[in-house]
Amino acid sequence: VQLQASGGGLVQAGGSLRLSCAASGRAASDYDMGWFRQAPGKEREFVAVIKWSGTETYYADSVKGRATISRDNVKNTVYLHLNNLKPEDTAVYYCAADLTTPLTGWGSPYYEMDYWGKGTLVTVSS
């Protein structure tokens, strides 16, 4: 499975952004897909994940209420809407895909994602 993230850019605080992650390859729609981010000088952290069926989602506390993850399995694309952006949301955002990790396990050091995409940079100015 190949993942291609896009949609990053420069946004003012309080603004919104939509990130996209297009998946290609065999049975891409079978994978749970989600987002991580890595801010300068910080470790990568989990942001959000959506089940392959689109019926279940899980968010990090840092974005809960400000983020919505969705997917279109016809287009094999996952979206992350971020609202009310804050300067601390500035990071490189990476999408990931995994078959077996429970949604609540995303971000745990005990689980490795099956596939990663290259990141897209989001910069939020104050």
Side-chain angles (χ1 to χ4, degrees), residues 7 9 11 20-22 24 36 42 55 64 70 88 91 94 100 102 105-106:
V11 185
S20 300
C21 178
S24 60
F36 290 76
K42 295 188 176 182
T55 58
K64 200 172 291 183
S70 61
E88 51 264 42
Y94 299 90
T100 60
W106 280 57

Side-chain angles (χ1 to χ4, degrees), residues 3-19:
L3 304 174
Q4 180 65 51
S6 61
L10 175 63
V11 185
Q12 287 191 332
S16 60
L17 202 64
R18 187 183 79 164
L19 304 180

Side-chain angles (χ1 to χ4, degrees), residues 8-121:
L10 175 63
V11 185
Q12 287 191 332
S16 60
L17 202 64
R18 187 183 79 164
L19 304 180
S20 300
C21 178
S24 60
R26 189 175 68 88
S29 60
D30 290 347
Y31 286 76
D32 300 337
M33 292 181 65
W35 295 88
F36 290 76
R37 67 186 182 185
Q38 187 165 19
K42 295 188 176 182
E43 293 188 353
R44 187 173 58 198
E45 65 172 2
F46 164 73
V47 177
V49 59
I50 186 166
K51 196 170 180 65
W52 67 271
S53 59
T55 58
E56 189 176 348
T57 59
Y58 182 64
Y59 297 91
D61 288 343
S62 58
V63 300
K64 200 172 291 183
R66 301 188 298 118
T68 302
I69 189 169
S70 61
R71 69 189 295 161
D72 183 336
N73 281 348
V74 173
K75 296 182 179 179
N76 281 342
T77 300
V78 172
Y79 305 98
L80 181 69
H81 284 84
L82 292 167
N83 301 310
N84 191 21
L85 283 160
K86 306 174 182 180
E88 51 264 42
D89 293 318
T90 295
V92 177
Y93 284 71
Y94 299 90
C95 61
D98 192 87
L99 269 180
T100 60
T101 299
L103 297 193
T104 53
W106 280 57
S108 167
Y110 297 105
Y111 297 98
E112 289 286 340
M113 299 293 101
D114 291 334
Y115 298 100
W116 291 94
K118 293 183 180 179
T120 185
L121 176 63

